[in-house]
Amino acid sequence: KASTDERTENIRIAFSRYNGMRIKPGKWFSFNNIVGQRTPEKGFLPAIEYAYGELVEGYGGGVCQASTTTYLAALKSGLKIVKRYPHSMPVNYTELGQDATVYLSRDRNVDFIFENNTGHDIYLRAQVVKNPKNKKRYLAEVSIFGYSEEAVEYRLESLIVEEIEPPLEVDYIKDNDAKYVTYTDQEKVVDKAKKGFVIETYLIKLIDGTEVDRKSISTDTYKPKKARVYVGVTPRY
């Protein structure tokens, strides 16, 4: 519900690149190869995104929710994850340890890749839909269809194994453009100090509702962050 129209549209555009796609056995799904660069020429719009641990506006903001949703669908389909990276800080649309960030530029390629290791064709459906429980909200929805000989189900469990206290020092930033404050005796907290976390995530396999396997699939570290405060630069006379 907090997603802007531009951000929601970016998710739709990313999904449209592989909605209805068929993947043959042994073939890889590479998010960046399929979706391509997030540029205005390709229809993407400016929206808030994470970049190097900060929230900034960039073309394609929101696309990481598309890659994250696809990552979760691939995991819960028992597919082989070839490449996946967590965000540098928690995101608000999934649990800690269950995100997959992506980024693509000429000199940087942070990709999400999975392999169809089922021995059969699989089909992807990816779309933005209205939340049936609240028509004012949208959902990012990815479904993967394929063949299974067993009544198998996969679940995810993420556990906090360590909490990292935030630094005591504060980043003070001169507000030269008077974006938040004007005078030297004024200050504005734009980011509170945040704890960091080490998260262990497990993939649990169930057959006919009975757990038959549990394996660790990732250990992710979300670094703590200093508080950020803007201070004014104009003296009062």
Side-chain angles (χ1 to χ4, degrees), residues 153-155 202-207 210-216:
E153 178 187 357
Y154 292 93
R155 294 179 184 170
Y202 297 87
L203 183 66
I204 303 164
K205 182 179 181 180
L206 303 98
I207 295 179
T210 301
E211 182 176 328
V212 297
D213 187 44
R214 174 186 293 254
K215 64 179 179 180
S216 173

Side-chain angles (χ1 to χ4, degrees), residues 67-114:
S67 60
T68 291
T69 311
T70 309
Y71 169 61
L72 295 174
L75 279 175
K76 292 184 177 183
S77 300
L79 298 172
K80 180 182 177 181
I81 305 302
V82 177
K83 187 177 291 186
R84 167 262 175 187
Y85 301 95
H87 287 80
S88 57
M89 54 196 295
V91 295
N92 62 6
Y93 47 79
T94 192
E95 294 183 38
L96 289 167
Q98 298 185 18
D99 57 307
T101 187
V102 288
Y103 186 84
L104 182 62
S105 65
R106 290 182 178 179
D107 56 358
R108 190 166 177 244
N109 186 351
V110 179
D111 204 358
F112 161 60
I113 301 172
F114 70 82

Side-chain angles (χ1 to χ4, degrees), residues 2 11 13 59 62 66 73 75 125 139 142 181 183-184 207 231:
I11 298 172
I13 293 169
Y59 278 96
L75 279 175
R125 183 176 67 194
L139 299 174
V142 175
V181 292
Y183 300 106
T184 52
I207 295 179
V231 295

Side-chain angles (χ1 to χ4, degrees), residues 74-228:
L75 279 175
K76 292 184 177 183
S77 300
L79 298 172
K80 180 182 177 181
I81 305 302
V82 177
K83 187 177 291 186
R84 167 262 175 187
Y85 301 95
H87 287 80
S88 57
M89 54 196 295
V91 295
N92 62 6
Y93 47 79
T94 192
E95 294 183 38
L96 289 167
Q98 298 185 18
D99 57 307
T101 187
V102 288
Y103 186 84
L104 182 62
S105 65
R106 290 182 178 179
D107 56 358
R108 190 166 177 244
N109 186 351
V110 179
D111 204 358
F112 161 60
I113 301 172
F114 70 82
E115 178 185 338
N116 176 9
N117 59 331
T118 68
H120 302 272
D121 289 3
I122 60 173
Y123 300 84
L124 275 62
R125 183 176 67 194
Q127 55 191 347
V128 173
V129 298
K130 286 276 185 75
N131 186 339
K133 296 180 180 179
N134 184 345
K135 297 300 184 181
K136 294 181 180 180
R137 297 187 65 176
Y138 292 95
L139 299 174
E141 182 181 86
V142 175
S143 303
I144 299 177
F145 301 91
Y147 176 79
S148 175
E149 294 179 351
E150 303 170 310
V152 64
E153 178 187 357
Y154 292 93
R155 294 179 184 170
L156 290 171
E157 184 176 289
S158 294
L159 304 174
I160 298 174
V161 296
E162 183 182 354
E163 291 190 11
I164 308 168
E165 292 300 318
L168 296 177
E169 30 321 348
V170 176
D171 270 343
Y172 288 100
I173 305 162
K174 292 183 178 181
D175 196 349
N176 294 312
D177 298 325
K179 182 178 180 180
Y180 299 104
V181 292
T182 302
Y183 300 106
T184 52
D185 59 350
Q186 294 178 315
E187 61 181 42
K188 169 72 173 179
V189 178
V190 292
D191 281 314
K192 294 180 179 180
K194 296 181 177 66
K195 285 184 177 181
F197 300 94
V198 179
I199 307 293
E200 186 84 22
T201 298
Y202 297 87
L203 183 66
I204 303 164
K205 182 179 181 180
L206 303 98
I207 295 179
D208 294 322
T210 301
E211 182 176 328
V212 297
D213 187 44
R214 174 186 293 254
K215 64 179 179 180
S216 173
I217 57 170
S218 64
T219 300
D220 300 323
T221 299
Y222 299 88
K223 295 180 180 179
K225 291 181 67 67
K226 297 178 184 178
R228 298 172 67 238

